[in-house]
Short mmCIF file of all heavy atoms in Angstrom, two decimals:
data_model
loop_
_atom_site.label_atom_id
_atom_site.label_comp_id
_atom_site.label_asym_id
_atom_site.label_seq_id
_atom_site.Cartn_x
_atom_site.Cartn_y
_atom_site.Cartn_z
N ILE S 315 12.01 65.90 126.26
CA ILE S 315 12.72 67.06 126.82
C ILE S 315 13.10 66.75 128.26
O ILE S 315 12.33 66.12 128.98
CB ILE S 315 11.84 68.33 126.80
CG1 ILE S 315 11.51 68.75 125.36
CG2 ILE S 315 12.52 69.49 127.52
CD1 ILE S 315 10.52 69.89 125.30
N LYS S 316 14.27 67.19 128.67
CA LYS S 316 14.65 67.12 130.08
C LYS S 316 14.67 68.54 130.64
O LYS S 316 15.24 69.44 130.04
CB LYS S 316 16.03 66.48 130.24
CG LYS S 316 16.01 64.96 130.13
CD LYS S 316 17.33 64.37 130.54
CE LYS S 316 17.27 62.84 130.50
NZ LYS S 316 18.55 62.25 130.92
N THR S 317 14.03 68.72 131.79
CA THR S 317 14.02 70.03 132.42
C THR S 317 14.12 69.82 133.93
O THR S 317 14.31 68.71 134.41
CB THR S 317 12.74 70.81 132.05
OG1 THR S 317 12.80 72.13 132.61
CG2 THR S 317 11.49 70.10 132.53
N LEU S 318 13.99 70.90 134.70
CA LEU S 318 14.12 70.83 136.15
C LEU S 318 12.81 71.21 136.81
O LEU S 318 12.11 72.12 136.36
CB LEU S 318 15.25 71.74 136.64
CG LEU S 318 16.67 71.40 136.20
CD1 LEU S 318 17.64 72.44 136.74
CD2 LEU S 318 17.08 70.02 136.68
N SER S 319 12.49 70.53 137.90
CA SER S 319 11.31 70.87 138.70
C SER S 319 11.66 72.04 139.61
O SER S 319 12.84 72.41 139.73
CB SER S 319 10.89 69.66 139.53
OG SER S 319 11.84 69.43 140.56
N PRO S 320 10.66 72.65 140.30
CA PRO S 320 10.97 73.75 141.23
C PRO S 320 11.94 73.34 142.33
O PRO S 320 12.63 74.18 142.89
CB PRO S 320 9.59 74.11 141.81
CG PRO S 320 8.61 73.69 140.75
CD PRO S 320 9.21 72.47 140.13
N ASP S 321 12.00 72.03 142.65
CA ASP S 321 12.91 71.55 143.69
C ASP S 321 14.31 71.26 143.16
O ASP S 321 15.18 70.82 143.91
CB ASP S 321 12.36 70.28 144.33
CG ASP S 321 11.00 70.51 144.98
OD1 ASP S 321 10.77 71.63 145.44
OD2 ASP S 321 10.19 69.56 145.01
N GLY S 322 14.50 71.48 141.84
CA GLY S 322 15.81 71.23 141.25
C GLY S 322 16.02 69.81 140.77
O GLY S 322 17.13 69.47 140.34
N GLU S 323 14.97 68.96 140.82
CA GLU S 323 15.11 67.59 140.34
C GLU S 323 14.92 67.53 138.83
O GLU S 323 14.13 68.28 138.26
CB GLU S 323 14.07 66.68 141.03
CG GLU S 323 14.30 66.49 142.51
CD GLU S 323 13.31 65.50 143.10
OE1 GLU S 323 12.38 65.09 142.36
OE2 GLU S 323 13.45 65.16 144.28
N GLU S 324 15.66 66.63 138.20
CA GLU S 324 15.53 66.47 136.75
C GLU S 324 14.23 65.75 136.43
O GLU S 324 13.92 64.71 137.00
CB GLU S 324 16.72 65.67 136.21
CG GLU S 324 16.78 65.62 134.70
CD GLU S 324 17.99 64.88 134.18
OE1 GLU S 324 17.92 63.63 134.11
OE2 GLU S 324 19.00 65.54 133.87
N VAL S 325 13.45 66.32 135.51
CA VAL S 325 12.17 65.75 135.09
C VAL S 325 12.20 65.56 133.59
O VAL S 325 12.67 66.43 132.85
CB VAL S 325 10.99 66.67 135.48
CG1 VAL S 325 9.67 66.08 135.01
CG2 VAL S 325 10.95 66.89 136.98
N GLU S 326 11.69 64.42 133.14
CA GLU S 326 11.65 64.14 131.71
C GLU S 326 10.23 64.25 131.20
O GLU S 326 9.28 63.78 131.83
CB GLU S 326 12.21 62.74 131.45
CG GLU S 326 12.44 62.47 129.98
CD GLU S 326 13.39 61.31 129.75
OE1 GLU S 326 14.44 61.27 130.40
OE2 GLU S 326 13.08 60.44 128.92
N LEU S 327 10.06 64.89 130.03
CA LEU S 327 8.77 65.02 129.40
C LEU S 327 8.81 64.31 128.06
O LEU S 327 9.74 64.52 127.26
CB LEU S 327 8.40 66.50 129.17
CG LEU S 327 8.19 67.36 130.41
CD1 LEU S 327 9.50 68.05 130.79
CD2 LEU S 327 7.14 68.42 130.17
N ARG S 328 7.82 63.47 127.80
CA ARG S 328 7.71 62.82 126.51
C ARG S 328 6.67 63.56 125.69
O ARG S 328 5.55 63.80 126.15
CB ARG S 328 7.30 61.35 126.66
CG ARG S 328 7.56 60.54 125.40
CD ARG S 328 7.02 59.13 125.54
NE ARG S 328 5.57 59.12 125.36
CZ ARG S 328 4.80 58.08 125.66
NH1 ARG S 328 5.32 57.01 126.20
NH2 ARG S 328 3.51 58.12 125.46
N LEU S 329 7.04 63.97 124.46
CA LEU S 329 6.18 64.81 123.63
C LEU S 329 5.53 63.98 122.53
O LEU S 329 6.12 63.06 121.99
CB LEU S 329 7.00 65.93 122.99
CG LEU S 329 8.00 66.69 123.87
CD1 LEU S 329 8.73 67.74 123.04
CD2 LEU S 329 7.30 67.33 125.04
N SER S 330 4.31 64.36 122.20
CA SER S 330 3.60 63.73 121.09
C SER S 330 2.72 64.77 120.43
O SER S 330 1.92 65.43 121.10
CB SER S 330 2.74 62.56 121.59
OG SER S 330 1.96 62.04 120.53
N THR S 331 2.89 64.96 119.10
CA THR S 331 2.05 65.90 118.36
C THR S 331 1.09 65.15 117.46
O THR S 331 1.35 64.02 117.04
CB THR S 331 2.90 66.86 117.50
OG1 THR S 331 3.57 66.10 116.49
CG2 THR S 331 3.92 67.59 118.35
N LEU S 332 -0.03 65.79 117.16
CA LEU S 332 -1.06 65.18 116.32
C LEU S 332 -1.77 66.27 115.53
O LEU S 332 -2.27 67.23 116.13
CB LEU S 332 -2.07 64.43 117.19
CG LEU S 332 -3.17 63.66 116.45
CD1 LEU S 332 -2.57 62.42 115.77
CD2 LEU S 332 -4.26 63.24 117.43
N PRO S 333 -1.80 66.17 114.20
CA PRO S 333 -2.53 67.17 113.41
C PRO S 333 -4.03 67.00 113.60
O PRO S 333 -4.55 65.88 113.49
CB PRO S 333 -2.10 66.87 111.97
CG PRO S 333 -1.65 65.45 111.98
CD PRO S 333 -1.11 65.18 113.34
#
Side-chain angles (χ1 to χ4, degrees):
I315 296 174
K316 282 190 177 181
T317 184
L318 295 178
S319 70
D321 300 329
E323 293 184 353
E324 188 177 84
V325 179
E326 191 161 313
L327 295 92
R328 197 186 77 193
L329 315 179
S330 174
T331 65
L332 183 72

